[in-house]
Amino acid sequence: MNQEPRPTGDDPVSAVITAKARILLGDTIAIGPGKADLLEAVAGTGSIAAAGRSLGFSYRRTRDMIDTLNACWRVPLVATVRGGSHGGGAQLTPAGRAVLEEYRKLDAALELTLCQHGAGLLRLIGPAGMAG
């Protein structure tokens, strides 16, 4: 879920509140916004290379992210099929689909919490001298 800025009103200076859910395994990001988007792109394209291109990632970065995703979870999240006469491909494993779904739920809950509990702060923010 991409977070769009939420303006506080018609002021020339708008404040937004943002947060990004990241699940860490030690010092490694097991999943966060970029890896979730990559899983979604793999599911949509059926290809690691095409998924990375669609997100503007280099192939090396894409491959490293997939390797991290597959290493951080109890079972791999992305399965690949080598090329051949019918070409290769990639798809999410059942675990990959479950992790993506649970991450999107977490992200939606975080967004709702930000809207509900951050509104008071956003009403108070602004440069000195802007109070009405």
Side-chain angles (χ1 to χ4, degrees):
M1 175 175 172
N2 292 331
Q3 292 179 340
E4 294 297 322
R6 290 173 297 285
T8 58
D10 294 332
D11 332 59
V13 178
S14 292
V16 297
I17 185 168
T18 64
K20 295 178 183 181
R22 288 188 175 96
I23 306 296
L24 301 176
L25 180 63
D27 292 334
T28 302
I29 299 171
I31 192 161
K35 287 185 175 95
D37 290 347
L38 181 57
L39 287 176
E40 207 162 67
V42 167
T45 64
S47 162
I48 290 172
R53 278 193 305 272
S54 74
L55 296 170
F57 298 162
S58 70
Y59 182 76
R60 180 182 174 126
R61 179 176 179 204
T62 303
R63 191 73 239 180
D64 288 348
M65 290 171 75
I66 295 292
D67 289 346
T68 299
L69 281 162
N70 282 341
C72 285
W73 300 89
R74 292 181 183 168
V75 295
L77 304 187
V78 177
T80 58
V81 177
R82 289 198 182 266
S85 61
H86 299 290
Q91 63 182 14
L92 299 189
T93 63
R97 288 189 299 277
V99 166
L100 179 58
E101 180 181 338
E102 291 300 319
Y103 179 82
R104 293 301 188 205
K105 286 182 197 175
L106 174 63
D107 196 42
L110 181 56
E111 179 74 14
L112 180 61
T113 298
L114 290 173
C115 290
Q116 290 174 340
H117 299 287
L121 287 171
L122 290 176
R123 282 192 299 274
L124 298 172
I125 195 166
M130 290 290 292

